[in-house]
């Protein structure tokens, strides 16, 4: 099917994730939508000026962060809010204490949240909250983060630089 049949993102899609059922989540300017890839039909999951997303490996949890996109020489969000949505029952809960970030990722279990920050740091902590561990070393703003499927590595990028970090023990 052609997912181009409805165009809710007239200014850009920034992230795509497939769900285990084959549907496709898209986040960007306008919020998050879920597409049925066979019919091309879509439905809004969350409307927002900008939304990014990641999904747990089992596809049951969807991490969504929203904010206002600030037009500068680099990608920045203002008034960032994050929430974890359980796709099995449609419930969601806010994730507190993560501050202003530019991107985020979940580990495969959906229990660890990794966030990218404009100050060059990467935060790693449980999605339930608490003081995150900081990974320091980038010389500029961190634009994106990812967690390896086995949960042993974190990748972060700043400009053209990519750093690999061993996953810290967030239980300490």
């Amino acid at each position: 099917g052609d997912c181009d049949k409805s165009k809710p993102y007239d200014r850009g899609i920034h992230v795509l994730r497939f769900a285990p059922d084959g549907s496709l989540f898209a986040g960007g300017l306008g919020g998050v939508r879920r597409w049925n890839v066979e019919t091309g039909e879509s439905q809004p999951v969350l409307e927002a000026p900008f939304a990014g997303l990641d999904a747990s490996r089992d596809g049951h949890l969807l991490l969504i962060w929203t904010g206002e996109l600030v037009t500068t020489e680099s990608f920045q969000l203002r008034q960032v809010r994050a929430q974890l949505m359980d796709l099995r029952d449609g419930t969601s809960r806010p994730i507190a204490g993560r501050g202003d970030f530019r991107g985020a990722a979940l580990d495969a279990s959906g229990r660890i949240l990794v966030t990218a920050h404009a100050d060059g740091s990467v935060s790693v902590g449980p999605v339930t909250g608490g003081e995150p561990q900081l990974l320091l070393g980038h010389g500029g703003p961190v634009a994106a983060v990812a967690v390896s499927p086995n949960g042993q590595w974190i990748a972060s990028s700043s400009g053209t630089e990519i750093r690999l970090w061993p996953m810290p023990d967030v239980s300490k």
Side-chain angles (χ1 to χ4, degrees), residues 54-56 61-63 84 104-108 110 112-114 127 147:
D54 196 16
S56 61
L61 299 174
L62 192 64
L63 168 67
L84 198 60
L106 289 171
D107 76 327
I112 297 174
L113 175 66
V114 179
V127 295
V147 179

Side-chain angles (χ1 to χ4, degrees), residues 5-26:
K5 290 179 182 172
S6 64
K7 296 184 182 265
Y9 299 107
D10 59 351
R11 297 183 307 168
I13 294 172
H14 293 269
V15 63
L16 297 168
R17 294 290 183 272
F18 277 102
D21 69 0
S23 62
L24 179 66
F25 287 97

Side-chain angles (χ1 to χ4, degrees), residues 18-104:
F18 277 102
D21 69 0
S23 62
L24 179 66
F25 287 97
L29 295 165
V32 175
R33 295 187 74 84
R34 185 178 199 162
W35 262 279
N36 178 319
V37 296
E38 296 195 14
T39 67
E41 299 295 317
S42 72
Q43 61 186 16
V45 174
L46 181 74
E47 294 184 11
F50 176 86
L53 62 98
D54 196 16
S56 61
R57 191 169 187 164
D58 64 10
H60 296 309
L61 299 174
L62 192 64
L63 168 67
I64 300 174
W65 62 93
T66 60
E68 297 175 16
L69 190 60
V70 179
T71 306
T72 63
E73 59 190 56
S74 66
F75 171 78
Q76 290 194 353
L77 290 176
R78 181 175 56 209
Q79 298 178 345
V80 178
R81 292 181 180 85
Q83 64 182 302
L84 198 60
M85 181 178 287
D86 189 323
L87 296 173
R88 293 168 292 194
D89 60 15
T91 61
S92 66
R93 64 177 175 81
I95 297 175
R98 295 297 171 185
D100 191 24
F101 60 87
R102 303 160 56 102

Side-chain angles (χ1 to χ4, degrees), residues 77-163:
L77 290 176
R78 181 175 56 209
Q79 298 178 345
V80 178
R81 292 181 180 85
Q83 64 182 302
L84 198 60
M85 181 178 287
D86 189 323
L87 296 173
R88 293 168 292 194
D89 60 15
T91 61
S92 66
R93 64 177 175 81
I95 297 175
R98 295 297 171 185
D100 191 24
F101 60 87
R102 303 160 56 102
L106 289 171
D107 76 327
S109 71
R111 294 190 301 255
I112 297 174
L113 175 66
V114 179
T115 54
H117 299 272
D119 67 0
S121 68
V122 174
S123 297
V124 183
V127 295
T128 55
E131 191 65 31
Q133 293 191 29
L134 294 180
L135 305 177
L136 305 172
H138 284 290
V142 180
V145 290
V147 179
S148 65
N150 64 9
Q152 294 181 349
W153 296 96
I154 294 169
S156 58
S157 69
S158 175
T160 59
E161 173 187 62
I162 296 175
R163 288 188 175 258

